[in-house]
């Protein structure tokens, strides 16, 4: 898919079309025992510069929704539009950071991974791709590891590479599927803070999936809570900038509020 | 983000590095075999049944010096490499089709389950009918012996590529042949490599057997033919010299080519299979 770069926020005459629009989207999987509806009738829009968090318990269809936006899955009903155009295939205008550590190409070095993505995704010539790749790798703190192969990195470092790769392509929309879920609590917090900084510096539009309420408040500007299986929209919360600071009363208050409305059982907050 | 410091490395002691390698263990095992052979042959004392290692080595030397053995070996290798390369190429084409389309997928599954169990030598009579006595027949059976195991290994490897890695590739807009070549093939390389190894062993085996079965005209015969004629002339030491050559070439290909290939690919990428 070749969609306009993120600065251009209009296509044809649809002058202020939202960057991303989901229109009554349902997604189902064919299984041996019949059709499983993972996501039901979800609609929302996302404007440029926003960081929207999809929050919900495990199995509610967050990854499913994100994959559909990524173009890896087709909705069974409804439509997903980027810049007013229907999404029908994956493309480098929507870079996904996955939860799994095996999203990097093991046969390429750290630098090679990011450079290759730039060569293929943005058709940059090799020297230029390498320069951009180095820039982004040093922005995620991996300057000293450009020549390492992914299997020699820690989980957190692999996620940093994936994040660098995603940012380097300057996609219209960044998709993140619980990128920090497999990390220890301390590393996760650090990565959340660093990601937030990158997003704010670049003004990236982001769709972020998580089941952690604190993570949602920390990284999002707006939170969409989903119901348990099948996923439907339950509630929306705006996160003002001053609420985003951990340990403040506002942070705790929003956390409590979301907790009450989304998770009936308080113990499902962390899986 | 602040830089993560580069890890500190300490060099392992030299002696340890030498003893960690495998070559010296292999050398010891080989020497052991040679000793057992020599002693048993002397005890048996029947040059017609089992020549001593010394006699075999001097027969090997004589055959090398006379130029016959190098000649035969080259003939065999030429056919072998041609057949192997063709077989791998056809396997690559088939698995690419199978990875890209449902029809290709079904076709590959059906063909491999039909032909993989069929011994290549069983096709020799058909090959002789179609191509007559000579190199084309040999190449035909060689292709058959290489194609199916390699295709099977490649395809199994493709199927085992994690879905996250596939999505990471498609995310960049890759599809078709480029997706296969730049994502699936390297990701499945451990399996592909073991397929290539198996294919190589099958090809070597098939070629020697085929040459033994239908000799070919004496002028252009290969190693199998060398072994066959030596037996007919009751030159057992030469038979063993021929067998030794087959084994040595196998060892060289495995120990040098495949080992190097493994080291610079899957080992470096941390994908080596247990
Ligand atoms: N490939 C698939 N085939 C069939 N069912 C699937 C498939 N992938 C997901 N599902 C089902 O769809 C539902 C939603 O799955 P999904 O992975 O989107 O959940 P999630 O919200 O991302 O959960 P988690 O927080 O655990 O990652 C689940 O009930 C799951 O069993
Ligand atoms: Mg998920």
């Amino acid at each position: 898919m070749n969609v306009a770069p993120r600065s251009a926020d209009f296509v044809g005459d649809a002058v202020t079309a939202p960057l991303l629009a989901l229109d009554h989207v349902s997604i189902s999987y064919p299984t041996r025992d019949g059709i499983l509806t993972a996501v039901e009738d979800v609609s929302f829009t996302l404007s440029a510069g926003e960081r929207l968090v999809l929050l919900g318990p495990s199995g509610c269809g967050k990854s499913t929704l994100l994959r559909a936006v990524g173009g890896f899955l087709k909705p069974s009903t409804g439509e997903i539009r980027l810049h007013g155009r229907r999404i029908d295939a994956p493309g480098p205008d929507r870079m996904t950071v996955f939860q799994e550590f095996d999203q990097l190409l093991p046969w390429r070095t750290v630098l090679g991974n990011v450079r290759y993505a730039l060569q293929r995704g943005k058709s940059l010539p090799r020297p230029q791709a390498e320069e951009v790749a180095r820039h982004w790798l040093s922005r995620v703190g991996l300057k000293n590891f450009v020549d390492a192969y992914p299997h020699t990195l820690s989980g957190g470092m692999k996620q940093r590479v994936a994040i660098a790769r995603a940012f380097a392509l300057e996609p219209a929309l960044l998709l993140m599927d619980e990128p920090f879920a497999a990390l220890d609590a301390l590393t996760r917090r650090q990565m959340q803070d660093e990601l937030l900084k990158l997003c704010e510096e670049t003004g990236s539009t982001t769709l972020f999936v998580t089941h952690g309420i604190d993570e949602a408040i920390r990284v999002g500007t707006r939170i969409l809570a989903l119901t348990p299986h099948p996923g439907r929209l339950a509630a929306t919360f705006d996160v003002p900038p001053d609420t985003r600071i951990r340990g403040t009363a506002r942070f705790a208050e929003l956390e409590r509020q979301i907790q009450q409305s989304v998770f009936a059982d308080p113990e499902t907050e962390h899986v | 983000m602040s830089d993560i410091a580069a890890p500190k490395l300490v060099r392992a002691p030299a002696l340890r590095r030498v003893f960690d390698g495998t070559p010296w263990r292999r050398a010891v095992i080989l020497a052991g075999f040679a000793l057992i052979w020599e002693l048993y042959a002397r005890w048996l004392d029947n040059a017609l049944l089992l020549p001593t290692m010394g006699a075999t080595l001097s027969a090997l030397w004589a055959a090398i010096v006379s130029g016959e053995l190098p000649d035969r070996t080259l003939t065999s290798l030429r056919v072998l490499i041609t057949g192997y390369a063709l077989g791998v190429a056809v396997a690559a084409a088939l698995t690419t089709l199978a990875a890209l389309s449902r029809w290709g997928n079904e076709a590959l599954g059906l063909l491999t389950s039909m032909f993989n169990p069929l011994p290549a030598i069983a096709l020799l009579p058909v090959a002789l009918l179609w191509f007559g006595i000579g190199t084309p027949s040999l190449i035909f059976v060689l292709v058959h012996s290489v194609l199916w195991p390699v295709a099977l290994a490649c395809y199994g490897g493709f199927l085992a590529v994690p879905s996250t890695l596939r999505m990471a590739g498609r995310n960049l807009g890759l599809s078709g042949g480029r997706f296969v070549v730049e994502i699936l093939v390297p990701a499945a390389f451990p399996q592909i490599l073991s397929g290539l190894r198996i294919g190589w062993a099958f090809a070597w085996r098939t070629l020697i057997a085929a040459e033994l079965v239908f000799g070919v005209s004496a002028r252009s015969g290969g190693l199998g033919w060398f072994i066959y004629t030596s037996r007919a002339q009751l030159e057992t030491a030469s038979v063993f010299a021929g067998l030794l050559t087959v084994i040595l070439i196998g060892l060289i290909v495995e120990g040098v080519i495949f080992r190097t290939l493994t080291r610079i690919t899957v080992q470096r990428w941390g994908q080596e299979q247990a």
Side-chain angles (χ1 to χ4, degrees), chain B residues 125-136:
Chain B
V126 181
L128 291 177
L129 281 176
W130 288 351
F131 303 107
I133 289 182
T135 310

Side-chain angles (χ1 to χ4, degrees), chain B residues 22-37 251:
Chain B
T22 54
W24 70 278
R25 285 199 188 84
R26 296 196 152 206
V28 169
I29 294 170
L30 269 184
F33 275 134
L35 192 69
I36 292 171
W37 174 10
L251 276 181

Side-chain angles (χ1 to χ4, degrees), chain B residues 56 60 64 69 72-74 76-77 80 200-209 211-212 222-228 238-255:
Chain B
T56 303
L60 182 65
I64 290 174
L69 194 59
R72 301 282 188 223
T73 308
L74 270 185
S76 283
L77 281 181
L80 184 67
W200 167 260
F202 278 19
W204 213 186
R205 216 186 279 182
T206 305
L207 177 66
I208 298 296
E211 287 179 348
L212 276 171
L223 259 179
W225 180 242
F226 176 83
I227 294 171
Y228 183 80
S238 298
V239 172
F240 274 71
L243 290 175
L244 209 56
T245 313
V246 174
I247 292 172
L248 282 178
I249 292 173
L251 276 181
I252 290 171
V253 169
E254 172 62 37

